[in-house]
Amino acid sequence: MEYFGRHEGGERAILVHLDIRYLKDPDDLEEFKLLVDSAGAQQLGIITGSRQTPDAKYFVGTGKAEEIAAQVELHKADIVLFNHSLSPSQQRNLERVCQCRVLDRTGLILDIFAQRARTYEGKLQVELAQLNHLSTRLVRGWTHLERQKGGIGLRGPGETQLETDRRLLQVRVNQLKIRLERVKQTRAQGRAKRQKSDVLTISLVGYTNAGKSSLFNRLVDENIYAANQLFATLDPTLRRLDWHGVGRVVLVDTVGFVRHLPHELIESFHATLEETLEADLLLHVIDSSSPDMHEQIVAVKDVLAEIGNKVPVLNVYNKIDLTGEPAQINYSAPDKPSRVYVSAKADLGMSMLHTAVQQLLTGKLDTFELTVPFNAGNFKNELYRLDVVEQETYDEHGHEVLIIRLPREKLQQLLGEANIQAAAVLSPEQAALVTPKLEAFEQPQVLAQPLEDSDYLAAEDLAMDNLEGNDFEADDLDVDNFDVDDFDVDDLELDDLKVNDFKADNLEADK
């Protein structure tokens, strides 16, 4: 019985690319070459072809498989790289024909990620993705693993090698998931701390090799690794900086996307991609010089949709130094920029990018003239920290007069934090712009003026005049209906009667 084992890999590679007509979004050959270069392989030859549908046994058909085997023998190649996803049985059959290792597109991308991983988190994510991919290759990949070992003392119930590998692989996958969950909790704590301190987060996303790291270096004035290759950046990089008109923000450089990104990678890198989901703004960096620009935009949008992104996105068209386009901002609505044209390498349009981000994060920009009080030093320092001061002068009283440009809501917030009334530093017209308008029920109630002591005395005298007993006439009483029994003598107080005005003649003696 001939057992089939996996061949050792190498760097001398034969590339295979087919044009499958039924595919709506075929893989690009030039991008495949860049992937091979990024993996560090030596391209010995490229075999192309065209098919209506893939072959079930070899993917490429029997004749093309023999052609690949002949090229492998001719160039003494170590590995055959396919620009397609192969099933485990197709991969096994091709290795039998070619007598060398065969790797599909997903395996090639995973290999590149394994080379780029530097941090503890990145290595865990890559290993998890590789094991998830390998778990589908155990079945029908190695036929001899399905047999139990024979011999005296080894017969009877027991595990096959395939079952053992499955069990060990699942144990390792569970361990990686537990460790990644701890990393996820650590990142969640960091995000919660930034949210508590009101620090905004801006994430750079985009197709691989679109210039994200170059733009990141330009914005933060650093020199992290950036190269003209796919997946040059794998581990997320975070830096804090002061953004013009916004204040302190955290800028995140994330892993690049690619067409037909393996689902195993998306699942494994979910902890990293959460930095994208929790951001306040996404800068979608686009390579405007690429002939496949539109396809790359669609690929990025598909990945963002798969991870459930709902964060606002600003399209940043990079590399305008290669296309000759002018640096500009395009608006989808008044004060709502949708795209910015820049060049991170040539430092073109960076001020426009700052303005567009400021408008999206803070709102419409207005110009104000402030007369700063002498005791408002912290308020003035905050304006300079935000970099919104455009001009500084002094009035005749020695007060600083600042011309600033920022949204009215932001100015209202700063005045409230400094406990400064808008009318004290702005003109009446501009103060009305930043003073919140109160509803009818929020309007302060106007209370009546309290009465003075003299007013109380005058009112008392008027009341007494109206109650003087001199105007009381006994004739007004109906004596005939007067009943003494109804009169409560106990409640009678002599002081209440004026004797001088009492006429006894009007009373009948018998009553």
Side-chain angles (χ1 to χ4, degrees), residues 116 208-211 213-214 217 224-233 319:
R116 301 286 188 270
T208 181
N209 203 32
S213 297
S214 299
N217 287 334
I224 66 171
Y225 181 70
N228 185 22
Q229 60 183 13
L230 302 186
F231 303 115
T233 301
K319 303 183 182 181

Side-chain angles (χ1 to χ4, degrees), residues 39-308:
Q42 179 184 357
Q43 301 182 21
L44 301 178
I46 302 176
I47 297 177
T48 61
S50 177
R51 285 185 64 89
Q52 186 68 31
T53 57
D55 180 69
K57 185 175 183 180
Y58 295 113
F59 188 87
V60 294
T62 305
K64 187 65 69 173
E66 294 175 353
E67 179 184 350
I68 296 172
Q71 290 293 320
V72 169
E73 184 177 359
L74 176 64
H75 295 284
K76 306 299 181 183
D78 303 316
I79 190 171
V80 176
L81 301 176
F82 272 73
N83 191 22
H84 312 278
S85 294
L86 302 177
S87 68
S89 60
Q90 289 172 341
Q91 187 174 354
R92 181 193 65 197
N93 295 333
L94 286 168
E95 289 188 354
R96 278 180 171 173
V97 173
C98 300
Q99 292 299 307
C100 70
R101 192 173 182 86
V102 175
L103 201 63
D104 64 355
R105 180 185 175 89
T106 301
L108 178 62
I109 294 176
L110 290 174
D111 184 80
I112 297 173
F113 272 55
Q115 295 180 38
R116 301 286 188 270
R118 295 291 180 270
T119 64
Y120 172 72
E121 177 189 6
K123 293 177 180 179
L124 288 179
Q125 291 171 331
V126 170
E127 184 179 356
L128 179 61
Q130 288 178 322
L131 292 179
N132 287 331
H133 181 66
L134 181 61
S135 63
T136 63
R137 261 58 188 165
L138 290 179
V139 181
R140 300 180 66 188
W142 297 272
T143 55
H144 68 284
L145 299 181
E146 300 173 359
R147 300 177 179 86
Q148 294 182 357
K149 294 181 179 179
I152 299 175
L154 297 177
R155 297 184 179 91
E159 283 185 323
T160 64
Q161 185 64 43
L162 181 61
E163 292 170 340
T164 303
D165 288 349
R166 278 178 176 173
R167 177 172 52 81
L168 295 177
L169 187 146
Q170 189 59 43
V171 169
R172 182 58 179 169
V173 167
N174 293 336
Q175 292 175 348
L176 293 175
K177 288 183 178 180
I178 293 174
R179 295 179 183 178
L180 282 175
E181 185 63 28
R182 295 172 184 168
V183 174
K184 180 180 179 181
Q185 294 176 0
T186 302
R187 286 195 173 275
Q189 292 174 356
R191 286 194 300 269
K193 186 176 180 180
R194 291 195 298 269
Q195 293 172 355
K196 186 177 180 180
S197 59
D198 294 331
V199 177
L200 300 177
T201 303
I202 303 173
S203 291
L204 301 179
V205 299
Y207 208 79
T208 181
N209 203 32
K212 296 185 301 299
S213 297
S214 299
L215 181 61
F216 185 87
N217 287 334
R218 179 67 65 181
L219 292 174
V220 301
D221 194 20
E222 287 196 17
N223 190 27
I224 66 171
Y225 181 70
N228 185 22
Q229 60 183 13
L230 302 186
F231 303 115
T233 301
L234 179 61
D235 302 310
T237 306
L238 288 77
R239 292 293 184 272
R240 181 173 293 185
L241 73 154
D242 291 323
W243 198 279
H244 174 79
V246 178
R248 190 64 55 86
V249 301
V250 172
L251 190 65
V252 183
D253 184 19
T254 58
V255 62
F257 301 150
V258 70
R259 278 186 294 182
H260 304 162
L261 188 66
H263 187 71
E264 297 90 346
L265 281 178
I266 297 178
E267 287 185 344
S268 302
F269 280 77
H270 199 273
T272 301
L273 295 175
E274 280 185 352
E275 294 291 344
T276 300
L277 296 177
E278 298 295 333
D280 297 282
L281 179 65
L282 298 184
L283 299 185
H284 179 189
V285 184
I286 301 169
D287 183 2
S288 60
S289 64
S290 173
D292 300 324
M293 178 183 68
H294 298 291
E295 291 80 3
Q296 294 175 1
I297 293 175
V298 172
V300 173
K301 289 183 177 179
D302 290 342
V303 176
L304 292 177
E306 185 171 352
I307 63 177

